[in-house]
mmCIF file of all heavy atoms in Angstrom:
data_model
loop_
_atom_site.group_PDB
_atom_site.id
_atom_site.type_symbol
_atom_site.label_atom_id
_atom_site.label_comp_id
_atom_site.label_asym_id
_atom_site.label_seq_id
_atom_site.Cartn_x
_atom_site.Cartn_y
_atom_site.Cartn_z
ATOM 1 N N MET A 695 127.845 107.787 146.691
ATOM 2 C CA MET A 695 127.654 106.648 145.733
ATOM 3 C C MET A 695 128.035 107.022 144.442
ATOM 4 O O MET A 695 127.658 108.028 143.875
ATOM 5 C CB MET A 695 126.093 106.219 145.693
ATOM 6 C CG MET A 695 125.909 105.058 144.919
ATOM 7 S SD MET A 695 124.170 104.263 145.035
ATOM 8 C CE MET A 695 124.466 103.430 146.456
ATOM 9 N N THR A 696 128.811 106.280 143.769
ATOM 10 C CA THR A 696 129.387 106.552 142.487
ATOM 11 C C THR A 696 128.533 105.924 141.351
ATOM 12 O O THR A 696 127.822 104.970 141.679
ATOM 13 C CB THR A 696 130.901 106.173 142.308
ATOM 14 O OG1 THR A 696 130.841 104.647 142.364
ATOM 15 C CG2 THR A 696 131.791 106.730 143.353
ATOM 16 N N LYS A 697 128.737 106.412 140.100
ATOM 17 C CA LYS A 697 128.111 105.717 139.042
ATOM 18 C C LYS A 697 128.471 104.225 138.869
ATOM 19 O O LYS A 697 127.648 103.305 138.589
ATOM 20 C CB LYS A 697 128.326 106.404 137.715
ATOM 21 C CG LYS A 697 127.476 107.658 137.464
ATOM 22 C CD LYS A 697 127.721 108.173 136.137
ATOM 23 C CE LYS A 697 126.757 109.342 135.747
ATOM 24 N NZ LYS A 697 126.893 109.798 134.335
ATOM 25 N N GLU A 698 129.736 104.001 139.163
ATOM 26 C CA GLU A 698 130.299 102.662 139.006
ATOM 27 C C GLU A 698 129.580 101.665 140.071
ATOM 28 O O GLU A 698 129.227 100.546 139.703
ATOM 29 C CB GLU A 698 131.824 102.593 139.210
ATOM 30 C CG GLU A 698 132.658 103.181 138.224
ATOM 31 C CD GLU A 698 132.633 104.714 138.221
ATOM 32 O OE1 GLU A 698 132.304 105.413 139.268
ATOM 33 O OE2 GLU A 698 132.891 105.329 137.169
ATOM 34 N N GLU A 699 129.416 102.163 141.278
ATOM 35 C CA GLU A 699 128.624 101.473 142.336
ATOM 36 C C GLU A 699 127.151 101.126 141.892
ATOM 37 O O GLU A 699 126.653 100.073 142.080
ATOM 38 C CB GLU A 699 128.742 102.199 143.617
ATOM 39 C CG GLU A 699 130.033 102.201 144.237
ATOM 40 C CD GLU A 699 130.106 103.051 145.626
ATOM 41 O OE1 GLU A 699 129.456 104.186 145.477
ATOM 42 O OE2 GLU A 699 130.752 102.621 146.412
ATOM 43 N N VAL A 700 126.499 102.172 141.290
ATOM 44 C CA VAL A 700 125.220 102.100 140.812
ATOM 45 C C VAL A 700 125.100 100.999 139.764
ATOM 46 O O VAL A 700 124.201 100.154 139.863
ATOM 47 C CB VAL A 700 124.559 103.459 140.426
ATOM 48 C CG1 VAL A 700 123.175 103.261 139.691
ATOM 49 C CG2 VAL A 700 124.434 104.442 141.657
ATOM 50 N N PHE A 701 125.827 101.111 138.808
ATOM 51 C CA PHE A 701 125.849 100.252 137.560
ATOM 52 C C PHE A 701 126.326 98.862 137.970
ATOM 53 O O PHE A 701 126.013 97.870 137.340
ATOM 54 C CB PHE A 701 126.587 100.841 136.471
ATOM 55 C CG PHE A 701 125.715 102.067 135.749
ATOM 56 C CD1 PHE A 701 126.382 103.276 135.681
ATOM 57 C CD2 PHE A 701 124.466 101.825 135.129
ATOM 58 C CE1 PHE A 701 125.562 104.335 135.042
ATOM 59 C CE2 PHE A 701 123.816 102.873 134.670
ATOM 60 C CZ PHE A 701 124.369 104.101 134.617
ATOM 61 N N GLY A 702 127.060 98.762 139.074
ATOM 62 C CA GLY A 702 127.510 97.456 139.461
ATOM 63 C C GLY A 702 126.625 96.822 140.359
ATOM 64 O O GLY A 702 126.863 95.647 140.832
ATOM 65 N N ALA A 703 125.472 97.480 140.729
ATOM 66 C CA ALA A 703 124.547 96.777 141.677
ATOM 67 C C ALA A 703 123.664 95.785 141.025
ATOM 68 O O ALA A 703 123.346 95.899 139.865
ATOM 69 C CB ALA A 703 123.622 97.978 142.275
ATOM 70 N N ASP A 704 123.191 94.803 141.808
ATOM 71 C CA ASP A 704 122.215 93.983 141.250
ATOM 72 C C ASP A 704 120.775 94.628 141.183
ATOM 73 O O ASP A 704 119.954 94.360 140.214
ATOM 74 C CB ASP A 704 122.067 92.696 142.182
ATOM 75 C CG ASP A 704 123.339 91.848 142.163
ATOM 76 O OD1 ASP A 704 123.962 91.852 141.158
ATOM 77 O OD2 ASP A 704 123.579 91.272 143.182
ATOM 78 N N GLU A 705 120.549 95.413 142.113
ATOM 79 C CA GLU A 705 119.234 96.124 142.251
ATOM 80 C C GLU A 705 119.422 97.572 142.783
ATOM 81 O O GLU A 705 120.322 97.717 143.655
ATOM 82 C CB GLU A 705 118.211 95.441 143.064
ATOM 83 C CG GLU A 705 117.700 94.073 142.725
ATOM 84 C CD GLU A 705 116.769 93.467 143.547
ATOM 85 O OE1 GLU A 705 115.780 94.076 143.862
ATOM 86 O OE2 GLU A 705 116.978 92.328 144.080
ATOM 87 N N VAL A 706 118.603 98.556 142.311
ATOM 88 C CA VAL A 706 118.593 99.876 142.849
ATOM 89 C C VAL A 706 117.205 100.311 143.034
ATOM 90 O O VAL A 706 116.324 99.919 142.148
ATOM 91 C CB VAL A 706 119.316 100.814 141.916
ATOM 92 C CG1 VAL A 706 119.241 102.223 142.375
ATOM 93 C CG2 VAL A 706 120.823 100.463 141.747
ATOM 94 N N MET A 707 116.992 100.781 144.099
ATOM 95 C CA MET A 707 115.528 101.328 144.395
ATOM 96 C C MET A 707 115.589 102.706 145.033
ATOM 97 O O MET A 707 116.674 103.219 145.435
ATOM 98 C CB MET A 707 114.898 100.484 145.511
ATOM 99 C CG MET A 707 114.663 99.053 145.178
ATOM 100 S SD MET A 707 114.453 97.983 146.488
ATOM 101 C CE MET A 707 115.908 97.057 146.442
ATOM 102 N N MET A 708 114.394 103.362 144.884
ATOM 103 C CA MET A 708 114.308 104.682 145.516
ATOM 104 C C MET A 708 112.985 104.682 146.127
ATOM 105 O O MET A 708 112.027 103.897 145.848
ATOM 106 C CB MET A 708 114.489 105.802 144.487
ATOM 107 C CG MET A 708 113.464 105.869 143.396
ATOM 108 S SD MET A 708 113.847 107.195 142.386
ATOM 109 C CE MET A 708 112.143 107.979 142.335
ATOM 110 N N SER A 709 112.932 105.510 147.252
ATOM 111 C CA SER A 709 111.647 105.663 147.859
ATOM 112 C C SER A 709 111.255 107.120 148.237
ATOM 113 O O SER A 709 112.198 107.944 148.278
ATOM 114 C CB SER A 709 111.625 104.947 149.215
ATOM 115 O OG SER A 709 112.669 105.485 150.131
ATOM 116 N N SER A 710 110.047 107.469 148.287
ATOM 117 C CA SER A 710 109.592 108.833 148.752
ATOM 118 C C SER A 710 108.133 108.540 149.354
ATOM 119 O O SER A 710 107.445 107.567 149.078
ATOM 120 C CB SER A 710 109.672 109.679 147.516
ATOM 121 O OG SER A 710 108.479 109.282 146.627
ATOM 122 N N ALA A 711 107.721 109.664 149.943
ATOM 123 C CA ALA A 711 106.385 109.592 150.593
ATOM 124 C C ALA A 711 105.341 109.517 149.535
ATOM 125 O O ALA A 711 104.449 108.672 149.706
ATOM 126 C CB ALA A 711 106.157 110.847 151.412
ATOM 127 N N SER A 712 105.470 110.046 148.340
ATOM 128 C CA SER A 712 104.370 110.066 147.374
ATOM 129 C C SER A 712 104.539 108.885 146.460
ATOM 130 O O SER A 712 103.522 108.250 145.818
ATOM 131 C CB SER A 712 104.419 111.303 146.495
ATOM 132 O OG SER A 712 105.765 111.462 145.759
ATOM 133 N N LYS A 713 105.761 108.369 146.153
ATOM 134 C CA LYS A 713 105.871 107.312 145.298
ATOM 135 C C LYS A 713 106.166 105.881 146.087
ATOM 136 O O LYS A 713 106.221 104.819 145.215
ATOM 137 C CB LYS A 713 107.056 107.502 144.322
ATOM 138 C CG LYS A 713 106.825 108.629 143.385
ATOM 139 C CD LYS A 713 105.732 108.437 142.412
ATOM 140 C CE LYS A 713 105.513 109.560 141.551
ATOM 141 N NZ LYS A 713 104.473 109.459 140.602
ATOM 142 N N GLU A 714 106.285 105.943 147.332
ATOM 143 C CA GLU A 714 106.479 104.780 148.114
ATOM 144 C C GLU A 714 107.775 104.122 147.756
ATOM 145 O O GLU A 714 108.869 104.665 148.011
ATOM 146 C CB GLU A 714 105.356 103.779 147.928
ATOM 147 C CG GLU A 714 104.001 104.423 148.447
ATOM 148 C CD GLU A 714 102.808 103.368 148.318
ATOM 149 O OE1 GLU A 714 103.016 102.335 147.612
ATOM 150 O OE2 GLU A 714 101.708 103.823 148.853
ATOM 151 N N LEU A 715 107.836 103.006 147.052
ATOM 152 C CA LEU A 715 109.081 102.299 146.616
ATOM 153 C C LEU A 715 109.005 102.032 145.101
ATOM 154 O O LEU A 715 108.069 101.397 144.722
ATOM 155 C CB LEU A 715 109.177 101.022 147.454
ATOM 156 C CG LEU A 715 110.522 100.151 147.285
ATOM 157 C CD1 LEU A 715 111.693 100.963 147.814
ATOM 158 C CD2 LEU A 715 110.361 98.869 148.028
ATOM 159 N N LEU A 716 110.098 102.386 144.598
ATOM 160 C CA LEU A 716 110.228 102.173 143.126
ATOM 161 C C LEU A 716 111.449 101.546 142.650
ATOM 162 O O LEU A 716 112.550 101.848 143.237
ATOM 163 C CB LEU A 716 110.159 103.523 142.302
ATOM 164 C CG LEU A 716 108.836 104.261 142.368
ATOM 165 C CD1 LEU A 716 109.035 105.630 141.787
ATOM 166 C CD2 LEU A 716 107.619 103.556 141.672
ATOM 167 N N PRO A 717 111.451 100.389 141.884
ATOM 168 C CA PRO A 717 112.712 99.913 141.298
ATOM 169 C C PRO A 717 113.277 100.856 140.283
ATOM 170 O O PRO A 717 112.614 101.536 139.537
ATOM 171 C CB PRO A 717 112.255 98.638 140.680
ATOM 172 C CG PRO A 717 110.891 98.939 140.176
ATOM 173 C CD PRO A 717 110.389 99.870 141.177
ATOM 174 N N VAL A 718 114.622 100.975 140.273
ATOM 175 C CA VAL A 718 115.280 101.746 139.207
ATOM 176 C C VAL A 718 115.897 100.756 138.306
ATOM 177 O O VAL A 718 116.868 99.956 138.762
ATOM 178 C CB VAL A 718 116.403 102.652 139.970
ATOM 179 C CG1 VAL A 718 117.065 103.441 138.844
ATOM 180 C CG2 VAL A 718 115.665 103.638 140.797
ATOM 181 N N VAL A 719 115.435 100.639 136.994
ATOM 182 C CA VAL A 719 115.921 99.520 136.304
ATOM 183 C C VAL A 719 116.853 100.043 135.091
ATOM 184 O O VAL A 719 117.473 99.286 134.413
ATOM 185 C CB VAL A 719 114.815 98.679 135.733
ATOM 186 C CG1 VAL A 719 113.957 98.013 136.778
ATOM 187 C CG2 VAL A 719 113.912 99.564 134.861
ATOM 188 N N LYS A 720 116.868 101.449 135.034
ATOM 189 C CA LYS A 720 117.538 101.996 133.871
ATOM 190 C C LYS A 720 118.041 103.538 134.235
ATOM 191 O O LYS A 720 117.233 104.191 134.772
ATOM 192 C CB LYS A 720 116.959 101.932 132.693
ATOM 193 C CG LYS A 720 117.581 102.217 131.548
ATOM 194 C CD LYS A 720 116.727 102.307 130.205
ATOM 195 C CE LYS A 720 116.158 100.923 129.868
ATOM 196 N NZ LYS A 720 115.364 101.080 128.632
ATOM 197 N N ILE A 721 119.145 103.705 134.031
ATOM 198 C CA ILE A 721 119.630 105.190 134.182
ATOM 199 C C ILE A 721 120.469 105.577 132.969
ATOM 200 O O ILE A 721 121.373 104.861 132.456
ATOM 201 C CB ILE A 721 120.745 105.363 135.534
ATOM 202 C CG1 ILE A 721 119.778 105.022 136.831
ATOM 203 C CG2 ILE A 721 121.157 106.756 135.454
ATOM 204 C CD1 ILE A 721 120.661 105.021 138.007
ATOM 205 N N ASP A 722 120.046 106.707 132.271
ATOM 206 C CA ASP A 722 120.706 107.309 131.137
ATOM 207 C C ASP A 722 120.739 106.201 130.069
ATOM 208 O O ASP A 722 121.638 105.980 129.332
ATOM 209 C CB ASP A 722 122.143 107.689 131.409
ATOM 210 C CG ASP A 722 122.190 109.005 132.211
ATOM 211 O OD1 ASP A 722 121.169 109.706 132.275
ATOM 212 O OD2 ASP A 722 123.314 109.081 132.912
ATOM 213 N N GLY A 723 119.662 105.382 130.003
ATOM 214 C CA GLY A 723 119.444 104.355 128.994
ATOM 215 C C GLY A 723 120.313 103.123 129.208
ATOM 216 O O GLY A 723 120.234 102.210 128.423
ATOM 217 N N LYS A 724 121.041 102.983 130.345
ATOM 218 C CA LYS A 724 121.864 101.940 130.640
ATOM 219 C C LYS A 724 121.145 101.049 131.820
ATOM 220 O O LYS A 724 120.732 101.552 132.781
ATOM 221 C CB LYS A 724 123.234 102.225 131.170
ATOM 222 C CG LYS A 724 124.175 101.199 131.359
ATOM 223 C CD LYS A 724 125.527 101.476 131.581
ATOM 224 C CE LYS A 724 126.437 100.479 131.937
ATOM 225 N NZ LYS A 724 127.833 100.931 132.386
ATOM 226 N N ALA A 725 120.989 99.672 131.526
ATOM 227 C CA ALA A 725 120.269 98.788 132.441
ATOM 228 C C ALA A 725 121.035 98.645 133.851
ATOM 229 O O ALA A 725 122.258 98.642 133.880
ATOM 230 C CB ALA A 725 120.063 97.517 131.934
ATOM 231 N N ILE A 726 120.290 98.664 134.941
ATOM 232 C CA ILE A 726 120.906 98.340 136.274
ATOM 233 C C ILE A 726 120.644 96.863 136.417
ATOM 234 O O ILE A 726 119.365 96.407 136.268
ATOM 235 C CB ILE A 726 120.072 99.085 137.342
ATOM 236 C CG1 ILE A 726 120.252 100.594 137.141
ATOM 237 C CG2 ILE A 726 120.633 98.679 138.806
ATOM 238 C CD1 ILE A 726 121.531 101.128 137.249
ATOM 239 N N GLY A 727 121.527 95.890 136.742
ATOM 240 C CA GLY A 727 121.352 94.555 136.952
ATOM 241 C C GLY A 727 120.900 94.009 135.515
ATOM 242 O O GLY A 727 121.457 94.263 134.631
ATOM 243 N N ASN A 728 119.734 93.271 135.684
ATOM 244 C CA ASN A 728 119.192 92.616 134.506
ATOM 245 C C ASN A 728 118.150 93.559 133.803
ATOM 246 O O ASN A 728 117.467 93.048 132.847
ATOM 247 C CB ASN A 728 118.719 91.241 134.698
ATOM 248 C CG ASN A 728 117.468 91.247 135.602
ATOM 249 O OD1 ASN A 728 116.933 92.245 136.032
ATOM 250 N ND2 ASN A 728 116.965 90.020 135.963
ATOM 251 N N GLY A 729 118.022 94.704 134.311
ATOM 252 C CA GLY A 729 117.096 95.651 133.622
ATOM 253 C C GLY A 729 115.583 95.488 134.200
ATOM 254 O O GLY A 729 114.586 96.029 133.535
ATOM 255 N N LYS A 730 115.345 94.548 135.169
ATOM 256 C CA LYS A 730 114.130 94.347 135.641
ATOM 257 C C LYS A 730 114.001 94.310 137.209
ATOM 258 O O LYS A 730 115.126 94.193 137.747
ATOM 259 C CB LYS A 730 113.595 92.854 135.279
ATOM 260 C CG LYS A 730 113.525 92.574 133.717
ATOM 261 C CD LYS A 730 113.178 91.206 133.389
ATOM 262 C CE LYS A 730 113.235 91.044 131.943
ATOM 263 N NZ LYS A 730 112.769 89.619 131.618
ATOM 264 N N PRO A 731 112.914 94.783 137.817
ATOM 265 C CA PRO A 731 112.777 94.728 139.289
ATOM 266 C C PRO A 731 113.147 93.422 139.674
ATOM 267 O O PRO A 731 112.834 92.330 139.319
ATOM 268 C CB PRO A 731 111.347 94.966 139.563
ATOM 269 C CG PRO A 731 110.816 95.731 138.319
ATOM 270 C CD PRO A 731 111.592 95.121 137.143
ATOM 271 N N GLY A 732 113.989 93.298 140.827
ATOM 272 C CA GLY A 732 114.535 92.146 141.374
ATOM 273 C C GLY A 732 113.761 91.500 142.581
ATOM 274 O O GLY A 732 112.748 92.227 142.989
ATOM 275 N N ALA A 733 114.175 90.386 143.062
ATOM 276 C CA ALA A 733 113.555 89.751 144.182
ATOM 277 C C ALA A 733 113.561 90.553 145.460
ATOM 278 O O ALA A 733 112.612 90.508 146.170
ATOM 279 C CB ALA A 733 114.236 88.460 144.471
ATOM 280 N N VAL A 734 114.673 91.284 145.709
ATOM 281 C CA VAL A 734 114.709 92.077 146.874
ATOM 282 C C VAL A 734 113.639 93.183 146.831
ATOM 283 O O VAL A 734 112.878 93.390 147.805
ATOM 284 C CB VAL A 734 116.076 92.681 147.042
ATOM 285 C CG1 VAL A 734 116.007 93.671 148.305
ATOM 286 C CG2 VAL A 734 117.091 91.571 147.355
ATOM 287 N N PHE A 735 113.556 93.795 145.619
ATOM 288 C CA PHE A 735 112.440 94.808 145.605
ATOM 289 C C PHE A 735 111.056 94.105 145.706
ATOM 290 O O PHE A 735 110.311 94.731 146.412
ATOM 291 C CB PHE A 735 112.445 95.443 144.159
ATOM 292 C CG PHE A 735 111.253 96.275 143.852
ATOM 293 C CD1 PHE A 735 111.126 97.524 144.434
ATOM 294 C CD2 PHE A 735 110.193 95.755 143.073
ATOM 295 C CE1 PHE A 735 109.973 98.265 144.273
ATOM 296 C CE2 PHE A 735 109.025 96.447 142.941
ATOM 297 C CZ PHE A 735 108.894 97.678 143.515
ATOM 298 N N GLY A 736 110.860 93.053 145.213
ATOM 299 C CA GLY A 736 109.562 92.401 145.365
ATOM 300 C C GLY A 736 109.239 92.054 146.897
ATOM 301 O O GLY A 736 107.998 92.438 147.211
ATOM 302 N N ARG A 737 110.197 91.651 147.609
ATOM 303 C CA ARG A 737 109.929 91.337 149.003
ATOM 304 C C ARG A 737 109.655 92.683 149.771
ATOM 305 O O ARG A 737 108.787 92.831 150.551
ATOM 306 C CB ARG A 737 111.122 90.648 149.574
ATOM 307 C CG ARG A 737 111.089 89.235 149.066
ATOM 308 C CD ARG A 737 112.046 88.266 149.981
ATOM 309 N NE ARG A 737 113.509 88.774 150.058
ATOM 310 C CZ ARG A 737 114.375 88.462 149.090
ATOM 311 N NH1 ARG A 737 114.195 87.762 148.118
ATOM 312 N NH2 ARG A 737 115.545 88.996 149.422
ATOM 313 N N LEU A 738 110.471 93.625 149.592
ATOM 314 C CA LEU A 738 110.397 94.990 150.219
ATOM 315 C C LEU A 738 108.986 95.736 149.902
ATOM 316 O O LEU A 738 108.262 96.132 150.867
ATOM 317 C CB LEU A 738 111.426 96.017 150.003
ATOM 318 C CG LEU A 738 112.755 95.611 150.623
ATOM 319 C CD1 LEU A 738 113.913 96.542 149.968
ATOM 320 C CD2 LEU A 738 112.633 95.882 152.047
ATOM 321 N N TYR A 739 108.547 95.560 148.661
ATOM 322 C CA TYR A 739 107.382 96.260 148.168
ATOM 323 C C TYR A 739 106.112 95.586 148.792
ATOM 324 O O TYR A 739 105.276 96.140 149.361
ATOM 325 C CB TYR A 739 107.280 96.160 146.708
ATOM 326 C CG TYR A 739 106.152 96.827 146.204
ATOM 327 C CD1 TYR A 739 105.977 98.162 146.027
ATOM 328 C CD2 TYR A 739 104.902 96.105 145.862
ATOM 329 C CE1 TYR A 739 104.895 98.945 145.670
ATOM 330 C CE2 TYR A 739 103.766 96.803 145.457
ATOM 331 C CZ TYR A 739 103.810 98.122 145.283
ATOM 332 O OH TYR A 739 102.626 98.817 144.878
ATOM 333 N N ALA A 740 106.136 94.121 148.970
ATOM 334 C CA ALA A 740 105.092 93.369 149.458
ATOM 335 C C ALA A 740 105.079 93.667 150.883
ATOM 336 O O ALA A 740 103.958 93.861 151.473
ATOM 337 C CB ALA A 740 105.280 91.871 149.259
ATOM 338 N N ALA A 741 106.199 93.677 151.646
ATOM 339 C CA ALA A 741 106.289 94.023 153.079
ATOM 340 C C ALA A 741 105.699 95.473 153.410
ATOM 341 O O ALA A 741 104.841 95.728 154.311
ATOM 342 C CB ALA A 741 107.634 93.922 153.638
ATOM 343 N N TYR A 742 106.042 96.467 152.434
ATOM 344 C CA TYR A 742 105.565 97.744 152.662
ATOM 345 C C TYR A 742 104.010 97.845 152.543
ATOM 346 O O TYR A 742 103.323 98.554 153.306
ATOM 347 C CB TYR A 742 106.219 98.688 151.612
ATOM 348 C CG TYR A 742 105.853 100.120 151.759
ATOM 349 C CD1 TYR A 742 106.561 100.854 152.640
ATOM 350 C CD2 TYR A 742 104.823 100.665 151.029
ATOM 351 C CE1 TYR A 742 106.182 102.306 152.896
ATOM 352 C CE2 TYR A 742 104.540 101.950 151.162
ATOM 353 C CZ TYR A 742 105.119 102.913 152.097
ATOM 354 O OH TYR A 742 104.857 104.096 152.220
ATOM 355 N N GLN A 743 103.605 97.156 151.484
ATOM 356 C CA GLN A 743 102.113 97.188 151.265
ATOM 357 C C GLN A 743 101.221 96.408 152.428
ATOM 358 O O GLN A 743 100.295 96.967 152.807
ATOM 359 C CB GLN A 743 101.725 96.384 149.921
ATOM 360 C CG GLN A 743 102.229 97.228 148.658
ATOM 361 C CD GLN A 743 101.814 98.532 148.650
ATOM 362 O OE1 GLN A 743 100.636 99.010 148.907
ATOM 363 N NE2 GLN A 743 102.759 99.436 148.433
ATOM 364 N N LYS A 744 101.779 95.516 153.028
ATOM 365 C CA LYS A 744 101.320 94.779 154.135
ATOM 366 C C LYS A 744 101.261 95.701 155.303
ATOM 367 O O LYS A 744 100.231 95.816 156.082
ATOM 368 C CB LYS A 744 101.978 93.524 154.375
ATOM 369 C CG LYS A 744 101.456 92.484 155.472
ATOM 370 C CD LYS A 744 102.218 91.369 155.720
ATOM 371 C CE LYS A 744 101.635 90.632 156.926
ATOM 372 N NZ LYS A 744 102.442 89.323 157.175
ATOM 373 N N ALA A 745 102.426 96.368 155.547
ATOM 374 C CA ALA A 745 102.446 97.274 156.762
ATOM 375 C C ALA A 745 101.457 98.375 156.544
ATOM 376 O O ALA A 745 100.828 98.871 157.484
ATOM 377 C CB ALA A 745 103.826 97.761 156.969
ATOM 378 N N LYS A 746 101.324 98.945 155.361
ATOM 379 C CA LYS A 746 100.466 100.063 155.137
ATOM 380 C C LYS A 746 98.967 99.668 155.359
ATOM 381 O O LYS A 746 98.179 100.322 155.772
ATOM 382 C CB LYS A 746 100.623 100.535 153.617
ATOM 383 C CG LYS A 746 100.362 101.932 153.381
ATOM 384 C CD LYS A 746 100.920 102.248 152.016
ATOM 385 C CE LYS A 746 100.000 101.597 150.876
ATOM 386 N NZ LYS A 746 100.114 102.162 149.540
ATOM 387 N N ALA A 747 98.606 98.375 154.952
ATOM 388 C CA ALA A 747 97.313 97.895 155.070
ATOM 389 C C ALA A 747 97.025 97.619 156.492
ATOM 390 O O ALA A 747 95.796 97.712 156.954
ATOM 391 C CB ALA A 747 97.145 96.587 154.303
ATOM 392 N N ALA A 748 97.922 97.403 157.357
ATOM 393 C CA ALA A 748 97.744 97.124 158.767
ATOM 394 C C ALA A 748 97.483 98.436 159.581
ATOM 395 O O ALA A 748 97.103 98.463 160.730
ATOM 396 C CB ALA A 748 98.834 96.552 159.430
ATOM 397 N N LEU A 749 97.673 99.608 158.894
ATOM 398 C CA LEU A 749 97.455 100.937 159.680
ATOM 399 C C LEU A 749 95.957 101.200 159.796
ATOM 400 O O LEU A 749 95.121 100.862 159.144
ATOM 401 C CB LEU A 749 98.116 102.207 158.860
ATOM 402 C CG LEU A 749 99.612 102.018 158.682
ATOM 403 C CD1 LEU A 749 100.233 103.204 157.910
ATOM 404 C CD2 LEU A 749 100.269 102.036 160.170
#
């Protein structure tokens, strides 16, 4: 993935076992998309929390 692809994306997210799912809204001081967590992040985060609660 190139910097151009990242900065051209509407949303960027990262995930890990300890941090679960995090929106990436800025890299090197430059905003990704509109600089706020997006709708896709919101839906994925809600689904992840629901799945976690069902365990």
Side-chain angles (χ1 to χ4, degrees):
M695 180 173 277
T696 67
K697 279 188 175 184
E698 291 79 20
E699 290 173 318
V700 170
F701 289 118
D704 293 329
E705 297 184 54
V706 174
M707 292 161 253
M708 61 182 231
S709 66
S710 72
S712 62
K713 298 292 183 186
E714 299 178 351
L715 183 65
L716 294 173
V718 178
V719 296
K720 192 183 297 185
I721 297 175
D722 293 338
K724 186 174 178 182
I726 303 295
N728 67 5
K730 298 178 182 177
V734 174
F735 169 77
R737 289 193 306 269
L738 284 172
Y739 185 79
Y742 184 86
Q743 297 305 314
K744 184 177 179 180
K746 215 170 63 167
L749 295 177

